[in-house]
Amino acid sequence: TMSCSDKVGRWNVLGLQGALLSLFMDPVYMTSLTLGSLHHHGHLSRAVCCRFNELNEALPLPFIVHHPTLGRVEGGDEMKRHTEKTTNYCMNWVIGDEFPEVTNGTLGRAVTTPIPGQQQNVESA
């Protein structure tokens, strides 16, 4: 799997538009990327764009290694990093479904089928 910085790095080389639109238009690059205050500017720039600089000469036009403006959000104690693990459960709903489906994201399968009019405790499922 690709990390978040790998995905952003790929967008900074190939663009945000995807393969199909690449057939009809030039790459669309992000102009800026803003993160919370818990990052190091040098590490971030290397992770999302600068590590690809050597590719510039080998890339076919119109692709380039794009360098977006990197910003940071400043905050006080309310910006502390929360490292607790979140629950593995999620709810999925699609237009046409009568009720949402509860899924265990770790197992990748449905855990319950909600009963109309009743609230269910997902943790006990």
Side-chain angles (χ1 to χ4, degrees):
T1 60
M2 295 178 70
S3 69
C4 293
S5 62
D6 289 340
K7 291 175 185 176
V8 174
R10 180 173 68 180
W11 295 335
N12 283 322
V13 174
L14 301 175
L16 297 165
Q17 73 287 337
L20 181 60
L21 283 178
S22 291
L23 299 173
F24 305 104
M25 62 187 287
D26 285 344
V28 175
Y29 295 110
M30 69 178 79
T31 57
S32 65
L33 175 64
T34 303
L35 295 179
S37 61
L38 297 174
H39 75 274
H40 184 276
H41 183 80
H43 295 180
L44 178 62
S45 63
R46 184 172 51 253
V48 301
C49 56
C50 293
R51 65 181 162 144
F52 302 107
N53 282 340
E54 294 175 5
L55 293 176
N56 244 344
E57 294 178 17
L59 290 171
L61 290 175
F63 299 103
I64 61 168
V65 176
H66 181 74
H67 297 271
T69 301
L70 301 177
R72 122 182 356 207
V73 176
E74 294 294 336
D77 288 339
E78 69 277 3
M79 296 287 292
K80 287 184 180 175
R81 180 179 283 182
H82 298 285
T83 58
E84 297 88 26
K85 186 171 172 92
T86 59
T87 179
N88 293 325
Y89 295 99
C90 57
M91 289 184 104
N92 305 301
W93 180 81
V94 179
I95 292 176
D97 287 354
E98 190 173 354
F99 302 102
E101 170 188 69
V102 178
T103 305
N104 182 323
T106 303
L107 301 175
R109 59 182 116 149
V111 177
T112 62
T113 304
I115 299 170
Q118 286 190 334
Q119 223 174 17
Q120 291 187 318
N121 182 353
V122 176
E123 295 299 325
S124 66

